[in-house]
Amino acid sequence: YDFGGLKLGQLTGSSFRKKILSIVGSNPVDPEKYGFANLTDENWTYGRYWSSRASSANLDVTLNEDVLETDVLNKLVLVFLDESQVPNTIEISSLDDSLNPTEPQIYSLASDEIVSTQIFQVSNYRSVVKTITLDYPVVTNKIRVNFSNSGIIALREINFLYERRSLESALKDILGD
C-alpha cells in the first residue's frame, strides 16, 4: 500500500490493498488504449480513459473484501471527460457468486439532491467529476454499474467511498490514536 512520504515499512493484509481489485465490463471502444485499467490509475485529470459507444455498457467492479465490514456504499465518484459523456441515469446492482445481478437501484445524474458536480481544467484537459450519494446496501464485494447513454461514454476514473474500518484500525495501531 502506498502511503506517500510516510515511512511505515512493509505492510500487508487486505486492509492495505487497493480499494478496487479489478474491473471488467462490456463494449470498450479500444480495450488496449481505452480499457478498464485506466479507471483505477489515479490519473483523473488527463490521459487515457475507458470509453464505450454502446447504448448500454456496464462495469463489474470487485472491491476489497473490507467493504463487507461496512453496511453501505456511501458514494460513487465518476470522472468523465465532459458533460456530453454523462448519462442521464446509472444503475447499481450487486453480483452474486455466479455474477448474476440483483434488482438494480437507479440513480439520476441530473439530480442536484444526490449528485454534486465539479469541473476541473488542467492545461487542455477537462474533467467533470460526479459524486453520487448512494447509501447502497453492501451484500457482496462485487458491484455492477450500468450506464445508459445515446452517445459515447468516456470515463477517466471510478471510485467507491465507504468506511474502511480495518484500514482505520491498522493505521491507528501503527500511528497511535
Side-chain angles (χ1 to χ4, degrees), residues 45-77:
T45 55
Y46 63 91
R48 294 189 172 165
Y49 49 88
W50 169 76
S51 64
S52 177
R53 286 190 189 104
S55 61
S56 179
N58 65 59
L59 297 173
D60 292 350
V61 181
T62 302
L63 296 169
N64 185 319
E65 292 84 10
D66 69 355
V67 73
L68 300 173
E69 299 171 5
T70 190
D71 298 324
V72 296
L73 295 174
N74 302 104
K75 296 184 183 214
L76 172 62
V77 180

Side-chain angles (χ1 to χ4, degrees), residues 137-151:
V138 173
V139 295
T140 178
N141 68 326
K142 293 176 177 59
I143 306 295
R144 175 168 288 165
V145 181
N146 190 55
F147 301 87
S148 296
N149 197 15
S150 59

Side-chain angles (χ1 to χ4, degrees), residues 45-157:
T45 55
Y46 63 91
R48 294 189 172 165
Y49 49 88
W50 169 76
S51 64
S52 177
R53 286 190 189 104
S55 61
S56 179
N58 65 59
L59 297 173
D60 292 350
V61 181
T62 302
L63 296 169
N64 185 319
E65 292 84 10
D66 69 355
V67 73
L68 300 173
E69 299 171 5
T70 190
D71 298 324
V72 296
L73 295 174
N74 302 104
K75 296 184 183 214
L76 172 62
V77 180
L78 301 170
V79 182
F80 296 93
L81 271 64
D82 63 49
E83 286 284 349
S84 70
Q85 283 105 25
V86 177
N88 292 330
T89 61
I90 59 168
E91 297 177 354
I92 308 286
S93 54
S94 298
L95 299 174
D96 66 18
D97 291 338
S98 300
L99 301 180
N100 295 313
T102 60
E103 187 68 29
Q105 289 188 13
I106 300 170
Y107 299 89
S108 169
L109 297 188
S111 170
D112 290 336
E113 294 176 17
I114 65 163
V115 179
S116 68
T117 302
Q118 293 84 34
I119 298 174
F120 295 94
Q121 185 83 29
V122 176
S123 187
N124 293 328
Y125 300 98
R126 184 180 182 112
S127 294
V128 176
V129 180
K130 298 284 187 177
T131 304
I132 304 110
T133 301
L134 296 178
D135 291 324
Y136 184 81
V138 173
V139 295
T140 178
N141 68 326
K142 293 176 177 59
I143 306 295
R144 175 168 288 165
V145 181
N146 190 55
F147 301 87
S148 296
N149 197 15
S150 59
I152 292 177
I153 299 167
L155 192 63
R156 290 191 192 280
E157 199 77 17

